[in-house]
Each structure stands twice: as C-alpha cells, then as structure tokens.
Amino acid sequence: MKSIGLSLYGPRRAVVVGMLAVVIGLTGLAAPVAAEPTGPTQSERHIALAVSSLLRREHLTKHAIDDEISQRCETIFLKMLDPWKLYFYQSDIDAFDKYKNDLDDMVKRGDVSFAYLVFKTFLARIDERVKMVEELLSSEHDFAADEEMSIDKEAMAWSKTPQEARERWRKRIKYDLLLLKADKTEGQAALDKLRQRYRSFAKRMHQTDNDELLEMFLTSFTSAFDPHTTYMSPASVENFEIAMKLELEGIGASLQSIDGYTVVNKIVPGGAADKDGRLKPEDKIVAVGQDEQGESVDVVDMKLSEVVKLIRGKEGTTVRLTVIPVGSTESKVYSIRRAKIELKDSEAKAKVFESGRKPDGSPCKIGVIDLPSFYMDMSGARRGLPDYKSTTRDVRAILEDFKKNGVDAVVLDLRRNGGGSLTEAINLTGLFIGEGPVVQVKDADGRVQPYFDLEPGMAWAGPLIVLTSKFSASASEILAGAIQDYGRGLIVGDHATHGKGTVQSLLDLGQQLFRVPNAPPMGALKITMQQFYRPLGESTQRRGVLADIELPALTTHLDVAEADLDFPLPFDQVEPMKFKAYGYVSPAIIEQLRRQSDQRIAQTEKFQQVRKNISRYLDQKARKSISLNEEKFLKERAEVNAEKEEEKKIEELNNSSNQNTIERDYYLDEVLAITADYLNLRLVAQAK
C-alpha cells in the first residue's frame, strides 16, 4: 500500500467564513472558476469508490459502512453548510432525510449525487436569503425593543415557512448591526458593509467547484468514522505538503478574504513582497496580472483559493498586483518577482531570558524554544536528501547553542503546536531522554507496536519545562506524555492538552487506483489507522496530558478539545512498557512549585484580570440567547464578548508566528519564574 506519509495531525480548527488565511506559494496558474459545481463526474465516482474501499479495509475501528455512518454523514454535511440553520427550510431537510439511510450504499457504489442535490438547494436558499437581507437592510430596526436571539444551535429547529425564516433573519441582521456598532461602524457604513458581506458570500458559494464540493461531502462521510479521517482534494494535498516542508515559491504573503476583498494578512519575512517593500498588511488586492504585460483579472468577490492560484507561480516569474493600500481609496500596481520562500515563522525559534537567581547569586539563564509544529520535508526524506527540513535537526542545533551560551534550563513551548510528523515526535523526544520507549501504537487488529528512542544520551540533560495548551495535540501530546511518564520534566500550562490520541496516514488515491509512479492527482485520504499510547500505557485520546502546574488561561475553557468534536474515538489503555524513569519530578516538587506559583499569580494584576474574564466568559457562554436591546447588548459586550474572546484566542495562537522573536509577557514571566524555582530545587538537591 503506497502512502504519502505517516503523520499525526492536530485538531480541526474552526474557520470563520470570510476569514480564511493562506500563504501564497506555487500551485500553478489556473483560471478562476466562475460557475457552481456541475456533476457528478466519472472521476468523482472513482474517488468515492476508492475512499469507501480504503475505509472498509484500513480504518482503525473497522466500523462497517452502514446506516449509522450514513446518518452521521448527513448530519455533518448539513452542519458544515448551514450550522446556524439560517438557509435550509424544514421541508428541505425532510427531502434530504429520504436519503439518510442510503448514503452508505450510494458512496460504496461511487454515487455522490446527494452532494449535488443538497448543494443546489443550498445555493437556491442563499439567493433567496440575499434578497431577504437587502429588504431587511432597507427596513427600520427598533434597537430599544427588549427582545432576544437564540444562540443555541443544537436546540434550534429549521424554519418551516418563509415568514419564520424572515423573522430569524430580521434578528440576525439586527445582531450583525449591533456587532458592527460595538466595533464603531454604524449608519450607512454598517448597512453597506453587511450588504457587501452577504453578496460576497453568495458569490463565493456559487464559485464552489467540483473538487471543493467533493472534498466537503466525502469529508462529511469519512468524519462519520472519526473527526480526523478526511478526504483532501489535490489542492489541499499540495498545501499540506508545502506546510510540512516549510518551503514554497511565490511572493511571500498571507491573505484572507474579508467581505469580498482579498486582504493582506501578513508579509512573510525574507520573502519577495518583504524585500520589495511596497505591499503591506491590510492592503486590498483587487486585480492580478501575469508578467509585465499580461491582462489583469479582477479578483473582487473571487474565492480566496482562486486568487491564490493567480498569485502563486514559479521562482523568477513576475506577478502584477493592483492594490488599494490601507488608508487609501486609489489603486496602485506593484510588479513583484516571485522567489523561493522558506517559511521561517513556522519553524522552531529560540531566545534566552534571565529570571531569578541561582544559589550562588548569578542570574538563571533560561532558553525558550517556540515550536509551532513537528514539521518534516516528506518528499525530501523519501528522496534521501541529507539536509531535508527536520524539526529534530533544528531543535538539536538550538540546544547546542544554548549549551555554548551557558543556559541553565529549557522551556519548550508547544502551546500552538497541533502536531505533525510521528517520526519527528519520536526523534525530538529522544533529545531529552536516553534510550527507551517513547510511544506505543495499536493498529486495527489490536497489535501494539512500541517505538523507541535508540540514540544513547541526551542532547539536553538539564531542567526541562514543556509548556502546553488545549491546542497542543497529537505529536505534542506524545512528547509531553513521554516527558511526564519518565519524570524528565514539568508540564505547565492549560489544565490539559487537546486529547487527540490517533495516528493518520495520507493515502494518495491516484496511486491507489492506478498503481503507477506518475498517477493523476486525485487527492488523498487522510485516514485514522492507529491509536497511540504513552510509555505507561494510557492513551491521550479525549483526556490529553494533564498539566503538573496549571496557569489561568481562557484557552482551558474553550470548546476546542477532541471531546468537543463529533464522533471522537474513546479513551482506552494498553500494557505499560518497562523503562527507567529519571525521577527529576516528584509530587513533593510539583506541590512546592505550585504553591510558589499560586502566590505570585495571586499578586499579579494581569492574571487576576484573566480570572475575571474567565468567569464572565463562562457566564455568557452558558446563556442560550442574547439580548438585541442596544443598551443591554453594548453593556454586555463592554464586559466580555464570549464569541470574540474565542476568536481572539484562536487568532493569537494562529498568528503568534507573525513575531520574528519570542516576546516576554506576564504569562511567560510566570513560566520563567516556575522554571527558575525548579532549577534552584534541582541545584539544592544536587548540592546535598
């Protein structure tokens, strides 16, 4: 069985419609798709047949493709398209329900016509709602009325009549206008913004192509087995490989779609756009042309993925961007020569800080390593390149530099690390332990295979802190779990990590179908084939790795863990492995460090504010409805906006790579203080 690679993948993160950020690199220059999907096609039939066959043979659970999977698939697909139940009518759902026990048999036959039936209805309802929005935006709204809007998606029913749908949308528009007012946009500007937002959304949905629709539908089908089994279109596979090898060709910019405009989110340091110097964050790209004289294509209201295809290109070629600079209304044309870009912001970076003093009075030097993912250039590794991109190689070099500079202790920051390569997770753990088991992996037949660090000695033998959050997943949890089981270091951060204890393989469908080296691109199936376990036998599935010392943070309370996803696999255990623990951490040490940390936190104003915000957030999150009375609404938003706090925290984690260096703040200060305390306890113990 030919596979692209064996990896651990992080949690699926929620993406707000219209706010998807991507990096510009090389995928070719396809013309933009201007029409809605047409199909099904014969190629899609072959893909569906391959997916269903692989699921039956290879998925960890060996779950039959049956009516239960069929019903789950329908639920996931409808939730993916219309999570707030704003578009479909109950009559639409009743029509779809006729197929709810047939989707398993249909996909096994290669029949994906259900996706087209649902999506055609979805587009028709979108067009109806856009007209409704236009009417509602031209109407007067009573913001003094004491009314509420339901925000309990699970309890909501689908609208039965146009009148019921109109009332739901009236409240939705009123809510949108209040949100804009809270952000200082009101009057005609707010009306125009909403009008453009919904028109752009409708236009983008009509631009959905066959590959995208097939990816949505087959992922709904595969996710019925578990949340991490997904179908990836050829474009998604290419983007995945770019992310793993941290190298691409293009201009070096991250883009997002906002209300129909392609907006620059970030300039990649060292990339072509950065060196050119003219393109800035928040600039709007309104047209794209090829070479110096090629015709420019208007990209307003174009799908972000299509804009990316136009801007990406080979090293040395030129792209012309028509840009409305931030703060301006006049457009300018920038010609930028594409270049090879190394995504430095996604690789390991480090900085040394001083915090506290050692028993001899000298300052504690603490090295912090920020590791966003367990990356590996899979194609380079397959080809046997000696210098292929590797997390372990990069971190080893950092640790050597730390030792040369007299660093006393190390903090490994995995707070935004959602996983990556299984090989890298094992090898990187081996930098901090001697020889021994790192992880155990169980397959669908119940066979348990241990994976060992076979390299004697440690690259870093000193005090170690592993910093985690609820977003630390998969490979991060393998490392954190092993460090904890070996008593090699402290786990500090959120109450627990994400809780993803499964391993996925990426199976190339073209190779599966044609069995030739240069098979046509047909996408890939990312399929859960194994579950991993800590050296002591516990799975991290659903439970995660519990922190030895928990710090107050909103992320602990976000519903983003494995257990919050649909149809997660259960927790279980295997037999523990035999290995020699280090005993660098004990319950007594943890308790002492926790007490010292609690005392500091109690006197740190920022942490006290965090605790107040958590309390308000949980109160607001527990509500099933929200006031649409302007005075009440703005007062609540002034205290805490639960939805915005969630988005802000996720955005902070996603965009912390925007910084070229590791910044010290109140949270890191406390982590450094804990590290210094731990270092001193170790030094005192060694002196005895």
Side-chain angles (χ1 to χ4, degrees):
M1 179 173 58
K2 179 77 172 179
S3 70
I4 291 175
L6 179 65
S7 295
L8 301 168
Y9 297 80
R12 296 183 299 172
R13 291 182 182 172
V15 178
V16 180
V17 172
M19 291 295 288
L20 177 63
V22 295
V23 177
I24 303 303
L26 169 65
T27 60
L29 300 173
V33 177
E36 55 212 53
T38 56
T41 66
Q42 190 65 20
S43 173
E44 290 167 3
R45 178 177 179 274
H46 290 316
I47 290 170
L49 284 169
V51 166
S52 61
S53 175
L54 288 169
L55 285 170
R56 283 197 297 265
R57 294 200 325 257
E58 307 292 349
H59 194 270
L60 174 66
T61 62
K62 297 290 188 183
H63 197 300
I65 299 179
D66 55 13
D67 288 354
E68 180 183 13
I69 294 296
S70 183
Q71 292 163 20
R72 289 180 177 184
C73 172
E74 183 197 35
T75 298
I76 295 169
F77 190 47
L78 296 177
K79 186 187 288 188
M80 190 183 293
L81 292 174
D82 192 9
W84 285 98
K85 300 178 181 174
L86 288 167
Y87 293 98
F88 291 125
Y89 288 115
Q90 182 61 53
S91 57
D92 297 327
I93 304 304
D94 293 341
F96 303 151
D97 279 349
K98 295 175 184 176
Y99 298 86
K100 69 180 180 181
N101 292 322
D102 299 330
L103 297 179
D104 53 328
D105 299 316
M106 292 171 70
V107 173
K108 283 190 284 189
R109 296 195 305 268
D111 182 357
V112 294
S113 58
F114 180 76
Y116 287 87
L117 167 70
V118 172
F119 202 73
K120 182 179 180 180
T121 305
F122 184 53
L123 292 179
R125 296 295 175 244
I126 285 175
D127 292 342
E128 291 174 15
R129 301 299 178 260
V130 169
K131 291 179 182 177
M132 191 181 287
V133 167
E134 296 281 359
E135 295 170 5
L136 289 168
L137 288 173
S138 300
S139 305
E140 291 293 326
H141 295 276
D142 182 4
F143 292 102
D146 202 9
E147 61 179 351
E148 295 190 334
M149 182 182 78
S150 173
I151 54 173
D152 186 352
K153 287 186 283 190
E154 300 305 319
M156 283 181 187
W158 305 92
S159 297
K160 294 182 175 61
T161 65
Q163 293 75 22
E164 194 176 327
R166 185 183 182 86
E167 176 63 9
R168 183 170 294 180
W169 272 92
R170 181 189 69 79
K171 291 184 175 182
R172 185 76 195 185
I173 292 300
K174 191 173 176 182
Y175 171 74
D176 286 341
L177 289 169
L178 285 169
L179 279 179
L180 288 172
K181 187 163 190 175
D183 288 335
K184 311 302 180 188
T185 302
E186 51 188 310
Q188 191 60 44
L191 296 173
D192 291 343
K193 193 175 185 69
L194 281 186
R195 191 172 284 113
Q196 176 66 23
R197 178 180 300 170
Y198 285 108
R199 285 177 182 170
S200 296
F201 173 70
K203 193 167 184 177
R204 287 198 307 278
M205 291 301 100
H206 276 280
Q207 291 173 344
T208 301
D209 62 27
N210 285 25
D211 282 357
E212 291 167 328
L213 180 57
L214 185 68
E215 184 173 74
M216 282 191 286
F217 176 65
L218 287 183
T219 290
S220 299
F221 188 79
T222 59
S223 297
F225 287 78
D226 80 286
H228 305 289
T229 296
T230 62
Y231 167 69
M232 300 170 70
S233 70
S236 294
V237 171
E238 186 168 17
N239 285 332
F240 164 77
E241 292 204 318
I242 286 171
M244 287 301 287
K245 69 182 181 181
L246 301 187
E247 184 180 273
L248 51 91
E249 292 174 321
I251 66 169
S254 161
L255 306 179
Q256 56 187 351
S257 180
I258 302 178
D259 298 337
Y261 285 100
T262 298
V263 180
V264 177
N265 180 50
K266 176 195 161 192
I267 303 297
V268 178
D274 183 39
K275 291 176 180 176
D276 178 83
R278 290 175 291 176
L279 196 66
K280 304 293 182 186
E282 298 186 46
D283 285 354
K284 295 176 181 175
I285 299 172
V286 295
V288 179
Q290 304 306 321
D291 305 316
E292 294 294 347
Q293 303 298 327
E295 181 182 355
S296 287
V297 177
D298 186 338
V299 299
V300 176
D301 285 336
M302 185 183 289
K303 283 187 311 179
L304 186 61
S305 60
E306 297 302 327
V307 181
V308 169
K309 287 179 183 179
L310 290 172
I311 299 176
R312 284 175 171 172
K314 292 184 179 179
E315 180 182 12
T317 60
T318 297
V319 63
R320 289 190 341 278
L321 306 180
T322 303
V323 175
I324 300 176
V326 59
S328 175
T329 57
E330 295 184 5
S331 64
K332 297 182 178 181
V333 178
Y334 303 153
S335 291
I336 300 176
R337 186 173 292 274
R338 300 176 177 107
K340 186 168 285 188
I341 307 155
E342 289 188 4
L343 301 179
K344 296 287 188 182
D345 288 352
S346 297
E347 66 183 26
K349 56 191 174 189
K351 192 171 182 178
V352 177
F353 298 93
E354 291 186 357
S355 178
R357 295 195 172 275
K358 292 183 283 188
D360 64 6
S362 62
C364 301
K365 294 180 72 174
I366 300 169
V368 178
I369 302 173
D370 178 20
L371 187 63
S373 70
F374 288 84
Y375 50 86
M376 181 178 73
D377 179 357
M378 291 183 177
S379 63
R382 286 198 300 268
R383 299 199 309 272
L385 298 180
D387 58 347
Y388 68 87
K389 199 66 182 172
S390 161
T391 306
T392 306
R393 186 181 291 117
D394 290 348
V395 173
R396 185 189 294 274
I398 289 171
L399 293 173
E400 290 302 318
D401 189 59
F402 280 173
K403 287 189 285 191
K404 289 177 185 175
N405 287 283
V407 164
D408 299 300
V410 167
V411 173
L412 183 61
D413 189 349
L414 304 179
R415 281 178 292 174
R416 59 192 176 96
N417 190 317
S421 164
L422 173 61
T423 301
E424 292 295 338
I426 295 166
N427 292 343
L428 187 64
T429 304
L431 299 182
F432 302 103
I433 65 171
E435 295 174 278
V438 173
V439 64
Q440 303 182 71
V441 177
K442 184 174 72 174
D443 65 19
D445 295 322
R447 293 174 299 210
V448 178
Q449 171 70 49
Y451 287 85
F452 294 84
D453 167 39
L454 299 175
E455 185 175 333
M458 306 179 197
W460 177 260
L464 175 67
I465 301 285
V466 179
L467 187 55
T468 60
S469 78
K470 213 170 190 177
F471 290 94
S472 306
S474 298
S476 293
E477 295 173 291
I478 285 179
L479 185 145
I483 294 299
Q484 196 171 60
D485 283 1
Y486 273 84
R488 174 62 185 84
L490 283 164
I491 311 301
V492 176
D494 287 359
H495 177 72
T497 56
H498 182 77
K500 180 183 176 295
T502 54
V503 186
Q504 285 71 42
S505 278
L506 200 61
L507 307 180
D508 186 298
L509 295 184
Q511 292 177 2
Q512 293 288 324
L513 287 168
F514 296 99
R515 305 288 179 179
V516 294
N518 296 316
M522 303 185 77
L525 178 65
K526 177 163 72 73
I527 181 171
T528 298
M529 298 176 70
Q530 297 170 316
Q531 188 160 338
F532 68 78
Y533 301 82
R534 293 164 58 155
L536 286 176
E538 282 198 351
S539 172
T540 60
Q541 179 64 16
R542 300 188 74 155
R543 288 191 183 181
V545 178
L546 301 183
D548 296 313
I549 300 175
E550 181 181 347
L551 300 182
L554 183 65
T555 48
T556 283
H557 306 279
L558 301 182
D559 293 333
V560 294
E562 180 83 2
D564 300 314
L565 300 175
D566 291 330
F567 314 119
L569 299 183
F571 168 87
D572 69 340
Q573 294 173 281
V574 296
E575 290 297 315
M577 296 287 293
K578 292 181 179 179
F579 59 91
K580 183 179 179 181
Y582 292 97
Y584 293 175
V585 176
S586 67
I589 287 174
I590 291 172
E591 183 56 36
Q592 182 173 343
L593 293 173
R594 190 181 291 146
R595 280 199 310 269
Q596 290 171 295
S597 177
D598 287 344
Q599 289 170 3
R600 281 190 300 268
I601 287 171
Q603 301 189 15
T604 303
E605 185 177 343
K606 284 277 190 181
F607 273 116
Q608 295 315 304
Q609 186 60 51
V610 167
R611 282 178 164 158
K612 287 179 184 177
N613 286 345
I614 289 171
S615 178
R616 290 170 179 166
Y617 166 81
L618 292 174
D619 286 345
Q620 193 175 115
K621 183 179 165 186
R623 298 177 192 173
K624 302 299 183 184
S625 62
I626 191 166
S627 175
L628 296 179
N629 174 278
E630 182 175 336
E631 184 178 348
K632 292 180 180 178
F633 181 92
L634 295 178
K635 183 180 179 183
E636 288 177 0
R637 280 303 186 271
E639 292 176 350
V640 65
N641 178 348
E643 184 179 2
K644 196 160 186 175
E645 284 295 319
E646 289 180 5
E647 290 178 10
K648 186 171 75 174
K649 284 298 172 187
I650 293 171
E651 194 75 11
E652 283 176 6
L653 286 163
N654 286 337
N655 288 339
S656 56
S657 62
N658 288 359
Q659 301 170 350
N660 294 326
T661 186
I662 300 169
E663 298 296 332
R664 192 165 180 168
D665 59 9
Y666 73 95
Y667 193 95
L668 185 55
D669 275 341
E670 179 54 31
V671 174
L672 295 173
I674 292 169
T675 309
D677 288 346
Y678 177 45
L679 169 65
N680 283 324
L681 285 176
R682 290 282 313 281
L683 291 173
V684 169
Q686 290 168 3
K688 293 179 180 178

